[in-house]
Amino acid sequence: MESTSICAHLPNLLSSFVDTFVDYTISGIFLPPQATNPLPSPPPLQTLHPPVDRLIAVGDLHGDLQKAQQALRLAGIVDSAGGWCGGAATLVQVGDVLDRGGDEIRILYFLERLKRQAAKSGGKVITMNGNHEIMNIDGDFRCVNKSGVNEFKVWADWYNVGNSMKSLCHGLKEPKDIFNGLPTKFTNVREEYNEGFRARVAALRPQGPISTRFLSRNETVVVVGESVFVHGGLLPDHVVYGLERINEEVRDWIVGVKGRVSSSLVRGRDSVVWLRRFSEEVAGKCDCSTLERVLAAIPGAKRMVMGHTIQQSGINGACGNRAIRIDVGMSRGCGDGLPEVLEIVGNSELRVLTSNSLYRKEYESSLEVDRKEGLAWLIPESGPKQVEVKA
């Protein structure tokens, strides 16, 4: 009887083993068990979060795992081995993990592991969609580099190895062909990149294995205490449309429940992931009056925290620190800037954790010349307090 019971569980045990084997081979990471049962599909999303004692926000990562880990070590929430050591802190990553680098899938696994580890410590990791996540789900690969194509080719090879292993067990369903419906050749794609390009489409299209597993768990708009997080920015019409509704519609599109998401939400210059009206580095160009209207329409909101637009001066604030811009272009494929993170203690104390004050001094020195030429607005109007940290 006992032997029969064990054999009955063999298919699921084999499937779990194969998944673990494939995950580790692709990412070099063993994912710890989830604190709760696996999330249903589509997964529930939480738009509004209560205030927390310590909140860390990091900007665009663009396929650079090394810089991502350096940034989180600055905040003391990741240890030297890349594991969560942040206790009950909350981390928000504002999107644009994809494109411009070759560690895109590895960063997705890295953040997933942090989510599970943080949950066991009473902490939380919130990941978000940026315009590059939306582009890739749409099949827009204009910002992909060679290493990014190769990473997805390797992923597809191992994913199919796992499916082949599962197909040997008669107790499991026949795995789906991830390339179903895709052409074998793509026009205007060089022969040596065709397999990687095809793998990327298969992985990231709506209902794709990577988009469903990772990107469908992303928020598009998040409110934590007094801080509103969004990749590009929010306009009054977005708030009227409904923040929870935006999150749900984007998620439903990613998992294939909804055929399409309104372009006004995620495509175009005024969408939530493309807007730059509050993130122009020239502080005087920040549309403070519209920002005030948006924040006034979100109960308790005091600031909007955004990525998307590289801030050569580092993390800074405009409109009396009502607009906080945290994309410092840290990825080696997109600026190669020094890592910085935003820290919010309680609800109101804002600090920038940075790794190199010499960089700041050199940048400020270079602005002295610009100031003489009448470009004083390049200097952040106001900004969070800077704290140098040894990574």
Side-chain angles (χ1 to χ4, degrees):
M1 182 70 176
E2 184 177 347
S3 177
T4 303
S5 177
I6 292 173
C7 290
H9 288 89
L10 274 178
N12 288 333
L13 290 172
L14 173 64
S15 179
S16 178
F17 169 79
V18 170
D19 288 341
T20 301
F21 167 74
V22 171
D23 282 347
Y24 182 77
T25 305
I26 291 169
S27 66
I29 285 176
F30 283 116
L31 291 175
Q34 291 181 325
T36 57
N37 293 327
L39 294 174
S41 183
L45 297 175
Q46 183 179 352
T47 303
L48 305 178
H49 300 257
V52 295
D53 292 335
R54 187 169 189 247
L55 177 60
I56 300 295
V58 63
D60 307 29
L61 300 178
H62 282 305
D64 193 331
L65 178 59
Q66 181 181 358
K67 288 290 190 71
Q69 292 176 335
Q70 288 174 358
L72 300 186
R73 285 200 298 269
L74 283 177
I77 58 174
V78 166
D79 60 27
S80 59
W84 179 264
C85 62
T90 291
L91 166 67
V92 179
Q93 198 284 315
V94 296
D96 276 12
V97 163
L98 300 182
D99 288 339
R100 307 192 191 282
D103 300 329
E104 299 161 277
I105 296 175
R106 282 183 283 273
I107 293 177
L108 292 175
Y109 273 95
F110 168 63
L111 292 173
E112 176 63 24
R113 181 175 67 176
L114 290 184
K115 285 183 180 182
R116 299 185 187 190
Q117 292 174 335
K120 291 182 178 180
S121 301
K124 185 177 294 182
V125 175
I126 300 170
T127 54
M128 301 187 68
N129 289 310
N131 60 305
H132 286 266
E133 279 71 44
I134 302 301
M135 289 166 64
N136 276 269
I137 298 167
D138 267 337
D140 182 345
F141 300 152
R142 76 183 91 161
C143 297
V144 177
N145 65 16
K146 180 180 177 181
S147 58
V149 172
N150 289 338
E151 187 187 27
F152 276 82
K153 179 183 181 303
V154 171
W155 165 82
D157 289 343
W158 282 110
Y159 191 88
N160 284 328
V161 166
N163 280 350
S164 296
M165 294 171 68
K166 291 180 183 180
S167 67
L168 299 174
C169 181
H170 297 294
L172 293 173
K173 291 183 180 179
E174 186 70 22
K176 293 182 180 179
D177 178 10
I178 61 172
F179 295 114
N180 184 44
L182 295 181
T184 56
K185 299 287 184 181
F186 290 88
T187 59
N188 301 321
V189 176
R190 289 166 58 178
E191 180 66 28
E192 63 264 38
Y193 301 136
N194 188 77
E195 287 186 58
F197 187 92
R198 190 166 182 252
R200 194 174 183 103
V201 175
L204 293 170
R205 62 180 170 171
Q207 292 185 288
I210 295 293
S211 61
T212 299
R213 184 177 184 184
F214 297 108
L215 305 186
S216 70
R217 310 280 172 88
N218 289 351
E219 310 280 353
T220 304
V221 185
V222 168
V223 181
V224 183
E226 297 176 345
S227 300
V228 180
F229 294 88
V230 61
H231 183 72
L234 292 173
L235 296 175
D237 286 349
H238 298 140
V239 182
V240 172
Y241 192 82
L243 306 186
E244 291 89 351
R245 185 179 175 187
I246 292 172
N247 281 333
E248 290 170 359
E249 290 192 5
V250 173
R251 174 207 60 195
D252 289 350
W253 167 57
I254 294 173
V255 299
V257 174
K258 184 179 179 66
R260 190 77 168 163
V261 179
S262 170
S263 290
S264 63
L265 296 181
V266 294
R267 302 175 191 88
R269 58 187 289 179
D270 286 336
S271 68
V272 297
V273 295
W274 280 97
L275 190 73
R276 299 187 195 271
R277 197 176 297 189
F278 314 125
S279 56
E280 288 279 0
E281 189 163 14
V282 179
K285 290 187 177 180
C286 187
D287 187 350
C288 297
S289 61
T290 299
L291 177 63
E292 289 293 340
R293 288 166 54 204
V294 171
L295 294 177
I298 302 173
K302 288 188 175 180
R303 67 187 67 87
M304 188 182 298
V305 183
M306 298 151 283
H308 187 45
T309 305
I310 294 177
Q311 308 293 309
Q312 298 291 343
S313 62
I315 294 174
N316 65 80
C319 305
N321 281 350
R322 303 277 266 172
I324 305 294
R325 296 83 71 86
I326 65 171
D327 177 12
V328 295
M330 72 175 78
S331 168
R332 284 166 291 183
C334 189
D336 199 18
L338 290 169
E340 290 189 348
V341 297
L342 175 71
E343 178 187 58
I344 304 177
V345 179
N347 251 333
S348 56
E349 183 182 344
L350 278 64
R351 302 196 305 170
V352 176
L353 305 182
T354 185
S355 58
N356 194 332
S357 60
L358 289 178
Y359 169 82
R360 308 289 307 183
K361 291 176 181 176
E362 289 172 4
Y363 180 78
E364 290 167 2
S365 176
S366 70
L367 286 184
E368 289 293 331
V369 177
D370 292 335
R371 189 182 301 117
K372 293 175 183 176
E373 296 175 357
L375 298 179
W377 279 112
L378 284 171
I379 303 172
E381 174 190 74
S382 58
K385 178 182 178 183
Q386 293 173 14
V387 178
E388 186 175 2
V389 180
K390 292 183 180 180

